[in-house]
Amino acid sequence: MNIRYGVIGTGALGGYYGGMLAKNGNDIHFLFNSDYKEAKENGLKVDSINGNFHIENTNAYKDAKDMPTCDVIFVCLKTTNNHLLKDLLPPILHENSIVILIQNGLGNEEELEKEFPNIQLAGSLAFICSAKAGPAHIKHMDLGKLIIAPYKIQTPEVLEQVCKDFLESGVPCNLSDDLKLSRWQKLVWNIAYNGLAVALNTETDKIMKNPSTRQLAFDLMQEVVEGANACGVLLQKEFAHRMIKTTDAMEPYAPSMKLDFDYKRPMEIQYIYSNPIAEAEKAGYKMRKVSMLEQQLRFIQDQYK
Amino acid sequence: MNIRYGVIGTGALGGYYGGMLAKNGNDIHFLFNSDYKEAKENGLKVDSINGNFHIENTNAYKDAKDMPTCDVIFVCLKTTNNHLLKDLLPPILHENSIVILIQNGLGNEEELEKEFPNIQLAGSLAFICSAKAGPAHIKHMDLGKLIIAPYKIQTPEVLEQVCKDFLESGVPCNLSDDLKLSRWQKLVWNIAYNGLAVALNTETDKIMKNPSTRQLAFDLMQEVVEGANACGVLLQKEFAHRMIKTTDAMEPYAPSMKLDFDYKRPMEIQYIYSNPIAEAEKAGYKMRKVSMLEQQLRFIQDQYK
């Protein structure tokens, strides 16, 4: 089965994962925004800890209407841009297309389903440290694993093929059959470190070095674990400890929300904070410190000039 | 009864309240630190919303050893300097001296009592917006009331005279018979606005204007009220609402901890945050958002260069 892939939002995630598939010869089409000209003229460049590479002839588009319809579409936009999907998706959908949201947060698929009630949908979590180094130029700094989980899928064999294509392209990839669990798992780290890095204007290593914020990161992660449990998601208490160890082992890192803050771009507060807080509260659990972090982030974003 | 007063720490509080007593002809002796030379040469200046004044011949000292013993000693140091008291107090104490700690926080008298088990002690809370405008120069911007409450007092008539002296000098002053209640009451505002102003690098009006931080300020104050209640201190739930109204009516204000932060001076985290958190927790109540603010403040202070 030869899958035709599409990437909506070719940045730190879409550029890296799509680039890896392209490098291995897959048929893949990239929607760019501001980087279109650079990508069209000089292709997509990826500097990766596993070796740099360059896709000289990138199938680059600046308008979704010029793209072919695709079998599998990776949505790699920030969730703050999800309102664009109602215009970006239709031109590249055929009746069996699968849309995979490689995004952080909670409620992403539910939201999109409201707009497109008939499409096949999956969610995906990227465990990766990557960032844009320049126009159509991605820097991959650490990790890289992808977890893909069906949300509403009629052709599971296609998801299996996606996973296989990734593995053959050098991307560690797992299928999960529990999207909610995967999303909450990812939230444990994201909720703690994204928000703290912004609120304290710092990076992971400094958070871990100071005993007060090291404890605070753990407190936040524990609240997320308890929030997940309240929602019937069986995250182990041990998971927060594991994330502390993972972060200790990481290079100093500015999470994506910190970069958004630095460049005064909208932050993914709604999907990463407000949605999980609301879902846990509906289930009877108040994530108090998490909610304080959300309140601070809303203030901080409001101060953007 | 003519009281001889001493002021240890002549800054925004000591300079204002001591200055008011001096202006009215009271016998009062001021210990200065860096402002000594200016105070000795040109006296103490106060710019007050109630009228500016100038104490040309200020009894200014740079060393407590040069001061006379005093009947009533106002300690107006930041709590971060309380370790100095073991050297500053003895030269000016006589056997009936009363030490009044005009300071924020909790546990102040208990700490000092360990060092001086035999002295008379009272606590005082200043409801005032004031700051140093320059050397030996105080700016009084709003409010001004003083509440004084005995901690361990054998001569209550002296405290009554202090209160009378203040009233005659134009300082609204009340005696309270419940120091713990007074300290917790003051903490309600202090815990919310001092820490938020530092953590968010802002002032009261911006905190109140943004709906998320307006709610957060209220959440923090409500936790303090519940913390006080857990400790057997009968603060009304309504009190947090009242403080919201008070703050709405205030001019935009940078609380003292924000000024400490701006000038990279140590912040009063221990007495304003850690002590109340510990006391509430001992009584079985966790102030979760307050404790998060403490954790952030400890991080922020740790980043001072």
Side-chain angles (χ1 to χ4, degrees):
Chain A
M1 172 167 35
N2 276 324
I3 296 178
R4 172 177 283 162
Y5 289 102
V7 174
I8 296 191
T10 309
L13 292 183
Y16 175 72
Y17 288 112
M20 290 293 277
L21 289 174
K23 179 164 73 104
N24 204 38
N26 286 278
D27 179 15
I28 183 159
H29 303 262
F30 296 89
L31 183 67
F32 284 87
N33 185 17
S34 55
D35 297 357
Y36 168 72
K37 199 161 165 276
E38 178 67 24
K40 189 74 192 169
E41 285 173 10
N42 298 313
L44 175 69
K45 287 195 197 77
V46 178
D47 297 347
S48 166
I49 41 162
N50 303 322
N52 302 350
F53 62 91
H54 183 189
I55 311 298
E56 288 186 38
N57 295 306
T58 300
N59 298 318
Y61 304 84
K62 71 171 172 182
D63 191 330
K65 295 193 190 76
D66 300 326
M67 294 173 75
T69 60
C70 298
D71 307 313
V72 169
I73 297 152
F74 301 117
V75 171
C76 303
L77 297 172
K78 298 261 175 199
T79 54
T80 49
N81 284 323
N82 278 9
H83 60 281
L84 303 174
L85 289 172
K86 67 176 193 306
D87 296 320
L88 297 179
L89 276 178
I92 54 176
L93 290 174
H94 60 62
E95 62 176 5
N96 294 316
S97 296
I98 295 180
V99 174
I100 303 180
L101 300 174
I102 310 186
Q103 294 187 318
N104 288 318
L106 204 66
N108 316 45
E109 293 76 19
E110 289 80 353
E111 272 304 310
L112 194 63
E113 191 185 17
K114 282 185 207 159
E115 193 72 43
F116 299 94
N118 299 317
I119 58 171
Q120 296 196 70
L121 266 172
S124 175
L125 288 310
F127 294 83
I128 189 171
C129 299
S130 65
K132 262 181 56 174
H137 185 184
I138 312 301
K139 194 177 155 85
H140 167 224
M141 293 159 281
D142 210 353
L143 308 174
K145 188 170 143 183
L146 213 48
I147 287 179
I148 301 177
Y151 175 75
K152 201 178 71 178
I153 292 290
Q154 283 92 44
T155 54
E157 67 280 9
V158 177
L159 276 196
E160 278 163 31
Q161 182 66 40
V162 171
C163 200
K164 219 175 130 207
D165 286 348
F166 271 123
L167 289 171
E168 285 172 2
S169 304
V171 173
C173 181
N174 278 156
L175 284 183
S176 149
D177 56 4
D178 193 339
L179 177 59
K180 259 204 142 69
L181 174 64
S182 298
R183 289 217 164 276
W184 275 101
Q185 269 180 330
K186 185 84 194 285
L187 282 171
V188 174
W189 195 93
N190 268 329
I191 283 181
Y193 292 97
N194 273 284
L196 285 182
V198 172
L200 300 169
N201 195 19
T202 192
E203 302 196 351
T204 51
D205 57 321
K206 293 212 180 77
I207 293 169
M208 296 309 277
K209 202 179 154 202
N210 178 279
S212 295
T213 44
R214 184 183 181 87
Q215 179 65 44
L216 176 53
F218 180 78
D219 294 347
L220 289 161
M221 294 198 287
Q222 222 177 13
E223 280 192 1
V224 181
V225 168
E226 288 181 30
N229 291 346
C231 296
V233 172
L234 297 178
L235 259 179
Q236 303 294 317
K237 299 248 181 270
E238 221 287 312
F239 194 72
H241 288 287
R242 232 171 78 197
M243 288 298 101
I244 289 280
K245 276 186 206 152
T246 302
T247 315
D248 276 334
M250 275 167 53
E251 292 294 311
Y253 183 57
S256 63
M257 189 174 280
K258 175 60 163 59
L259 300 181
D260 292 336
F261 166 72
D262 288 340
Y263 292 101
K264 301 215 183 298
R265 297 186 296 239
M267 296 185 282
E268 302 187 278
I269 305 174
Q270 187 63 37
Y271 285 85
I272 297 184
Y273 291 90
S274 311
N275 291 356
I277 288 166
E279 198 145 321
E281 187 149 1
K282 225 191 311 168
Y285 180 72
K286 278 186 208 267
M287 304 195 286
R288 303 256 325 151
K289 292 192 175 186
V290 174
S291 118
M292 172 157 165
L293 198 46
E294 181 216 22
Q295 291 167 316
Q296 293 182 320
L297 291 170
R298 294 226 175 258
F299 175 88
I300 289 165
Q301 186 165 277
D302 203 31
Q303 306 306 305
Y304 283 2
K305 294 278 186 307
Chain B
M1 172 166 38
N2 277 323
I3 295 179
R4 171 177 286 162
Y5 289 101
V7 174
I8 296 192
T10 308
L13 292 184
Y16 175 72
Y17 288 112
M20 291 293 278
L21 289 175
K23 179 165 72 102
N24 203 39
N26 286 279
D27 179 15
I28 182 160
H29 302 262
F30 296 89
L31 182 67
F32 285 87
N33 184 17
S34 55
D35 297 356
Y36 168 73
K37 200 161 163 275
E38 178 68 24
K40 190 74 193 169
E41 285 172 11
N42 299 312
L44 175 69
K45 288 195 195 75
V46 178
D47 297 347
S48 166
I49 42 162
N50 302 323
N52 302 350
F53 61 91
H54 183 187
I55 310 298
E56 289 186 37
N57 296 306
T58 301
N59 298 320
Y61 305 84
K62 70 171 174 184
D63 191 330
K65 294 192 191 77
D66 300 327
M67 294 173 75
T69 60
C70 298
D71 306 313
V72 170
I73 297 151
F74 300 118
V75 171
C76 302
L77 297 173
K78 298 261 175 198
T79 54
T80 48
N81 284 323
N82 278 9
H83 60 280
L84 303 175
L85 289 172
K86 67 175 191 307
D87 296 320
L88 297 178
L89 276 179
I92 55 177
L93 289 174
H94 59 62
E95 63 176 5
N96 295 316
S97 296
I98 294 182
V99 174
I100 303 181
L101 299 174
I102 310 186
Q103 295 187 318
N104 289 318
L106 203 67
N108 316 44
E109 293 78 18
E110 289 80 353
E111 271 303 311
L112 194 62
E113 192 184 17
K114 282 185 208 160
E115 193 73 41
F116 298 95
N118 300 316
I119 59 172
Q120 297 195 69
L121 266 172
S124 176
L125 287 311
F127 295 82
I128 188 170
C129 299
S130 66
K132 262 183 54 176
H137 184 185
I138 311 301
K139 193 175 156 87
H140 166 222
M141 293 161 281
D142 209 355
L143 308 174
K145 187 169 141 183
L146 212 49
I147 288 179
I148 301 177
Y151 175 76
K152 200 180 71 179
I153 292 290
Q154 283 93 43
T155 54
E157 67 279 9
V158 178
L159 275 196
E160 277 162 32
Q161 182 64 42
V162 171
C163 199
K164 220 174 130 208
D165 286 348
F166 271 122
L167 289 170
E168 285 172 3
S169 305
V171 172
C173 181
N174 278 158
L175 283 184
S176 151
D177 57 4
D178 193 340
L179 177 60
K180 260 205 139 73
L181 174 65
S182 298
R183 288 216 163 277
W184 275 101
Q185 269 180 330
K186 184 84 194 285
L187 283 171
V188 173
W189 195 93
N190 269 328
I191 283 181
Y193 292 97
N194 274 284
L196 285 182
V198 172
L200 299 168
N201 195 19
T202 193
E203 300 195 353
T204 51
D205 58 321
K206 294 214 178 77
I207 293 169
M208 297 309 278
K209 201 179 154 203
N210 178 279
S212 296
T213 43
R214 185 183 180 86
Q215 179 64 44
L216 176 53
F218 181 77
D219 295 346
L220 289 162
M221 292 197 289
Q222 223 178 12
E223 280 192 2
V224 181
V225 169
E226 289 182 29
N229 291 347
C231 295
V233 172
L234 297 178
L235 259 179
Q236 303 294 317
K237 298 250 180 266
E238 222 288 311
F239 194 72
H241 288 286
R242 232 172 80 198
M243 288 298 102
I244 288 281
K245 277 185 206 152
T246 303
T247 314
D248 276 335
M250 275 166 54
E251 292 293 311
Y253 183 58
S256 64
M257 191 175 278
K258 175 60 162 60
L259 300 182
D260 292 336
F261 166 72
D262 288 340
Y263 293 100
K264 300 215 184 300
R265 296 186 295 239
M267 297 186 282
E268 301 187 278
I269 305 174
Q270 186 64 36
Y271 285 85
I272 297 184
Y273 291 90
S274 311
N275 290 357
I277 289 167
E279 197 143 322
E281 186 150 1
K282 226 193 307 170
Y285 180 72
K286 277 186 209 265
M287 304 195 285
R288 303 261 317 157
K289 291 191 176 186
V290 174
S291 117
M292 174 157 163
L293 198 47
E294 181 216 22
Q295 291 168 316
Q296 293 181 320
L297 292 170
R298 294 227 175 257
F299 176 87
I300 289 165
Q301 186 165 278
D302 202 30
Q303 307 305 305
Y304 284 0
K305 293 281 184 311

